[in-house]
Amino acid sequence: MTCYDRRDLGLLLLRLGTGGVLAAHGAQKLFGWFGGGGIEGTGQFMESIGYAPGRTSATLAGLAEAGGGTLLALGLATPAAGAAAAGAMAGASAVHAPNGFFNQEGGFEYAASLGLTAAGLAVTGPGRLSLDHALGHTADRTWMLPAAFAAIGAGTAVMLGARNRRLRKIREGEQEALFE
């Protein structure tokens, strides 16, 4: 086994593992599979944590996770797939960030790990054991990486900014007691 064979096998394992986990999380949101809330339940949850409208937010997050994860696992349109998954995980990380880093405390460790791995795969490429390679990299051109990250980054920034404004507005309505 040459160095290139090992690298391709390693990329395949990373893609299958990360993509599979992301696809399962997306299926929870979109279809209610694996104990998930489906669009309705996830939409209600999204509203409760500041992502509005909730149904649209649930759909976008589910598509980014299920679609991005599936495409990553297949090694197809890898720059767009990795960027979409990373954007979804940035949104999830924002929700968990107030709880600190570690997952056992409700922190952002898990979402950040998935997002960084997806981003790393987008940057590194899928390797030779992929549909991108089999199709001559027609959906994995050099220019697609910065374009995908720019588009997803802008969209994620807009969504996180809107969420932060909603949460600030809610907190402004809450006032602590001046005297006890």
Side-chain angles (χ1 to χ4, degrees):
M1 187 175 271
T2 69
C3 178
Y4 294 109
D5 294 334
R6 289 177 49 199
R7 182 179 316 140
D8 293 327
L9 182 58
L11 288 169
L12 174 65
L13 292 172
L14 279 171
R15 287 192 350 259
L16 290 174
T18 304
V21 168
L22 286 162
H25 278 281
Q28 287 181 308
K29 290 173 180 65
L30 294 173
F31 312 117
W33 296 353
F34 314 115
I39 294 293
E40 290 304 317
T42 304
Q44 291 171 5
F45 173 71
M46 294 291 232
E47 286 274 349
S48 77
I49 58 173
Y51 288 109
R55 188 176 172 84
T56 300
S57 297
T59 301
L60 290 172
L63 288 172
E65 291 175 10
T70 300
L71 290 172
L72 272 178
L74 295 170
L76 180 61
T78 304
M89 292 300 99
S93 292
V95 170
H96 293 282
N99 300 321
F101 178 71
F102 291 104
N103 191 48
Q104 76 247 26
E105 303 295 325
F108 66 96
E109 164 188 28
Y110 183 63
S113 294
L114 285 173
L116 288 169
T117 303
L121 286 166
V123 170
T124 303
R128 291 185 294 182
L129 301 174
S130 67
L131 287 179
D132 276 339
H133 182 75
L135 298 172
H137 295 278
T138 56
D140 179 24
R141 303 282 185 206
T142 304
W143 63 267
M144 292 175 179
L145 182 66
F149 274 102
I152 295 297
T156 301
V158 167
M159 292 209 43
L160 288 176
R163 176 181 181 262
N164 288 340
R165 283 190 298 281
R166 277 196 251 350
L167 292 177
R168 267 196 309 276
K169 193 171 189 176
I170 291 167
R171 287 187 196 117
E172 286 173 2
E174 300 170 2
Q175 184 174 351
E176 295 181 27
L178 295 174
F179 303 102
E180 292 202 28

